[in-house]
Amino acid sequence: MTAVETQITYSNSYTIHHEEAYMTQEEDWDRDLLLDPAWEKQQRKTFTAWCNSHLRKAGTQIENIEEDFRNGLKLMLLLEVISGERLPKPDKGKMRFHKIANVNKALDFICSKGVKLVSIGAEEIVDGNVKMTLGMIWTIILRFAIQDISVEETSAKEGLLLWCQRKTAPYRNVNVQNFHISWKDGLALCALIHRHRPDLIDYSKLRKDDPIGNLNTAFEVAEKFLDIPKMLDAEDIVNTPKPDEKAIMTYVSCFYHAFAGAEQAETAANRICKVLAVNQENEKLMEEYEKLASELLEWIRRTIPWLENRVAEQTMRAMQQKLEDFRDYRRIHKPPRVQEKCQLEINFNTLQTKLRLSNRPAFMPSEGKMVSDIANAWKGLEQVEKGYEEWLLTEIRRLERLDHLAEKFKQKCGMHEAWTGGKEDLLSQKDYESASLMEIRALMRKHEAFESDLAAHQDRVEQIAAIAQELNELDYHDAASVNARCQGICDQWDNLGTLTQKRRDALERVEKLWETIDQLYLEFAKRAAPFNNWMDGAMEDLQDMFIVHSIEEIQSLITAHDQFKATLPEADKERMATMGIHNEILKIAQTYGIKLSGINPYTNLSPQDISTKWDTVKHFVPLRDQMLQEEVARQQANERLRRQFAAQANIIGPWIQTKMEEISHVSVDIAGSLEEQMNSLKQYEQNIINYKSNIDKLEGDHQLSQESLIFDNKHTNYTMEHIRVGWEQLLTTIARTINEVENQILTRDAKGISQEQLNEFRASFNHFDRVRNFLLLCLEIILMLHILRNGMMDPDDFRACLISMGYDLGEVEFARIMTLVDPNNTGVVTFQAFIDFMTRETAETDTAEQVMASFKILASDKMYITVDELRRELPPEQAEYCISRMTRYVGPESPPGALDYISFSSALYGESDL
C-alpha cells in the first residue's frame, strides 16, 4: 500500500496537509475554529464516540478524550484494534516518563503507517492538550477510516463524497456537495440508510422542514440496526451555521464501512449472473449447432445412396424421368441445404468467438459433427452427385443408341427374312430331273443368278450380325430375342449356302446334256438381278434411319444423298437397257412365233418388278429430301440454343470470377466503421442476390438444351456445372466475409474496443499487408516465385507491425505471441487473429478465480454454499441453474445440501479444480 504522507501542525489551532489534497480550504476554517467553540464540541463528541466504537471490541471505553489518552495505554489499545496489529509492550509505570514513552510508541506506530506528524509531541498529549489530542485522533481517523475509501478512480475524502453523491442521487431534496451544510437537514443521512435498507426508514414521510426529526431518526436507526453509535447531536448540527466537516466525515465514513459488505455481495452476485448468462447462451448455441449438424449429416446420409444407385432403366422414358428427378433435386432440394451448411459454419464461428471472448474453452462438437466432418461429407455428396449426372447422360445416350440400333436391326432382319422366304424350299426342289434341255439350262442360269443374289446379300447378313453384337455390348435389355433372331438368320444363311452348293452340283452333272439356252433370258436375268439389288439397296438407304448431333453431320448426309441423286440418270439408262433386253425377247418371240410361258426361266424378276421398284425409288427420293431438311432445321435450332447458352455463360462466368476476386480484397479495401463496412457488404450481397435472375435464365436455357439432347457446346468453355459451383462459392464467400465483420463487431463490443482503436489495428495490419503485397508483386515480376495472399501477414511483417505500435520485442516474447496468433504454425497471421491478440492485450475478462472469489463472498467465506444462499443472492433462473449443476460438497462439518462452488467455477472455464 502506498503511504500517504500527512503533515499536522498545531499552534493555537491545528492544520492537516495530506498529499491527496483532502481539503483545499482547511487552513481557513481551522483558524475559524478558535472563534467557534461549537466545532470543538462536535469534534470532541464525535471522536469520542468513534474511538469507543472500536475500544468496545476490547471491552473498554473512554469518557474524556483529552484525559483518558494521557497515559498512552488506551491510545495503544485503540491502534491495535483498528489496525489488527500488535504494538510494542507498554510501560506499566505511572510516572510522567512512562506515559510519554507509551504515547511515543503510539505516535511511532502512526508514523510507520505513512503519516508524518509535525508539531505533535507526546508531552502535549500527556499534558491533556485538547487541540493536539483532537488533531491526533483526526489523523488516526483519516489514516484508518477514510484513506482507503476508493470509488471510481477517486479516493479518501473525494471518494467518500462521490460515494455519497451516487447513493443519494435519486432522492428528492438531497444534494450532497460537501461535508458540512449538505447534511444539516438530515435527509442525506436518511437517504443513505434507505438506499441500502429501505425497510428501516419510510423516506416518503420525511419532511425537509424537520431537520432535527430527520437527524434523530437517522441517529436512532443507525445505532439500533446498523451498529453505528450516535456521534453527533441533532441540535448542534442544526444550530451551527456550518457544522464541523471532520465530525460529519467521521460519522458518514461509518455508513460507508457498514454498507461496503452489502455492496460487495451485490457486485459478486452480478458477476455470477453475468457469467451464468453467458454460459447458458453458449450452451444453447451448442445445442442448436448439434441439432443442425445432425439434420444436415442425416440428409447427406440419405441422399448419397440415392445418387450412388447406378441401376439403369430399360426405357428412354424411365431414364428421362430419372434425369427430371435429379433436376428437381438440384433446383428444389439442394439449395436449402447449401444455405443450412453455410449458416452452420457461420454459427460455429460465432460460437467460437463468443467462447473466446468470455474466456471459455473452445467448443468441440460431438464425434463426426465437426465442421471439417460436414465439409468432407458435403464434398463426398458433390462427388457422387457429379458422377450421377454424368452417368445419367451417358445412359440416355446409350439408350438412344440402343433404340436406333434395335430399330435398324428389325428393319434389316425383316428385309432379309423377306428375301430368304421360300429359298430353302426352292433350293431343295428336284425339278431338273424331268425338265427339258431348255429348262435344265434355264434352271442352271437361274441358279447362277441366285448365287449372285446370295453373294449380294452376304453384306446384309454381316451387318445384322454386327448390329446384334453392338446391342449385346451396349447391354440391350431385350438382347436375348435379338440373339435368337440373329442366330436363326445365321443358321438359315449357312443352310442356304449348303443347299446352293448341292443344287449347283446337281445342275452341273446334267449341264452336259443340255446345250441350248436362251441367251436373252440369261442376259436379262444377269442385268436385272444386280439392278434389282441396287434398287433394293437404294430403297434401304433411302429408308435408313439416321441420328446426328451437328449441322456438319447432317450436311455430310445431304452431300451423300445429292451424290446418290446424281447417279439416278445412269441408273435410268441401266433400267432402259434391261427393259430393252426384255423388249428384244418379246420382239424375237413375236417375230419367230415363239410361245412364251410368260416367265423368265432364269429369274423371278419381271419387267413389271423392275418398273415398280424404280417408281418406288423415285418416290422415296423426295421423302428423303424432306427428312434431311427437317433434320437441318432441328440442328439449326440446336445451334441457336448453343449460341444462346454460350452468350450468357460467357458473361456470367467472368462476372462470377470478377466478384470472387473483388470479395477477396473487400475486407482490406472498405474504409469506415465496422457498421459502415457491414452495410457495404450487405449491399454487395444484395447486388449478388439480385443477379440470381441471370443464373435462373441460364438454367432455363440449359434445360432446353438437355431436353433437345444437346450435350456439347463449342462456343463456350463454361458448363452449367461450372456456373452452379461458382455461384455457390460466391454466395458462401460473401456470407463468410460478412460473418467476419460481424465477429469483429462482436469482439469490439464485448471487449470495449473503440472504433478508433479498431481502425488503428486495421490500419497497422493493412499497412504491412499492403507493403508485403507490393514487395511480393515485385518479386513475382522479377523471380516468378511468390504468390500474393491477400489479408495475411508473414511473421516478419507482423513483428514490424508490433514494433511500430510500441512493443519492445525479444525473441522469447515474439515466439510467445506467435503461439497465440498462429497456434497451428501455418507461417501467416490473419486479420482476425491480429484483432483477437490486440483485444486480449487491451481488455480483461472474467477468470475462474474471480468467479470463485465472488461465490466465496456470497458464501460468507465458507468453502461451500447452500441452496438458500444461492436463491437469496441470485435471480431465480441463475440460482436454479447453479443448483442443478453444482455437485455436493464433501468436507468436515458441512451441512446437508452444501454445494461445491469451487469445482463448478473451474468447470465453467474448462479448468481442473484449483
Side-chain angles (χ1 to χ4, degrees), residues 21 36 68 157 160 185 193 209 216-217 263 266 307 324 410 427 439 510 571 574 577 612 627 635 706 752 913:
D36 191 357
D68 293 347
K157 176 184 176 181
L160 182 61
D185 58 8
I193 297 173
D209 58 358
N216 286 329
T217 298
E263 290 185 347
E266 179 182 357
L307 294 174
E324 186 61 31
K410 292 177 183 179
L427 292 172
E439 290 172 342
V510 296
E574 180 64 19
T612 300
M627 291 174 60
Q635 290 301 324
Q706 289 196 331
D913 292 347

Side-chain angles (χ1 to χ4, degrees), residues 435-446 510 513-521 594 596 600-602:
S436 63
L437 179 61
M438 292 293 292
E439 290 172 342
I440 289 300
R441 303 192 81 171
L443 287 176
M444 186 62 187
R445 300 298 180 266
K446 182 178 180 180
V510 296
L513 301 175
W514 313 101
E515 298 178 352
T516 307
I517 187 168
D518 192 339
Q519 188 65 32
L520 291 176
Y521 268 130
I594 297 174
L596 300 174
N600 190 325
Y602 303 109

Side-chain angles (χ1 to χ4, degrees), residues 264-265 267-279 358-360 845-859 862 865 870 874 881-882 886 900-911 914:
Q264 188 178 20
T267 302
N270 290 336
R271 169 172 286 177
I272 292 174
C273 291
K274 176 184 175 182
V275 171
L276 296 180
V278 170
N279 210 59
S358 59
N359 204 21
R360 304 303 198 274
T845 56
D846 293 321
T847 63
E849 290 80 5
Q850 291 175 325
V851 176
M852 289 181 200
S854 299
F855 272 117
K856 188 173 182 181
I857 292 173
L858 298 186
K862 299 190 298 293
I865 192 168
L870 287 172
L874 301 180
Y881 179 84
C882 292
M886 284 187 182
D900 186 357
Y901 63 79
I902 295 178
S903 60
F904 174 76
S905 300
S906 299
L908 286 178
Y909 292 86
E911 302 175 2
L914 298 176

Side-chain angles (χ1 to χ4, degrees), residues 409 412-413 458-472 482-483 486-487 489-490:
F409 177 84
K412 288 187 178 292
C413 287
Q458 176 68 34
D459 183 61
R460 180 179 294 147
V461 174
E462 291 175 355
Q463 290 179 4
I464 290 173
I467 293 173
Q469 182 180 356
E470 188 172 1
L471 287 172
N472 279 276
V482 169
N483 292 335
C486 181
Q487 188 62 46
I489 290 174
C490 291

Side-chain angles (χ1 to χ4, degrees), residues 222-283:
E223 186 174 25
K224 183 177 181 180
F225 297 100
L226 303 180
D227 197 24
I228 298 175
K230 183 177 180 181
M231 301 181 182
L232 300 168
D233 287 327
E235 291 77 8
D236 293 340
I237 295 174
V238 173
N239 296 328
T240 302
K242 184 179 182 181
D244 179 62
E245 185 176 41
K246 297 177 181 178
I248 298 295
M249 283 180 62
T250 302
Y251 187 64
V252 172
S253 68
C254 295
F255 283 88
Y256 174 86
H257 292 293
F259 293 134
E263 290 185 347
Q264 188 178 20
E266 179 182 357
T267 302
N270 290 336
R271 169 172 286 177
I272 292 174
C273 291
K274 176 184 175 182
V275 171
L276 296 180
V278 170
N279 210 59
Q280 288 173 308
E281 180 182 0
N282 291 340
E283 288 182 357

Side-chain angles (χ1 to χ4, degrees), residues 37 54 77 113 186 188 217 336 398 537 620 678 715 772 837 909:
H54 294 285
L77 181 60
K113 296 303 178 180
T217 298
R398 185 183 68 85
F620 282 152
M678 177 64 67
H715 303 295
R772 173 184 174 276
F837 169 75
Y909 292 86

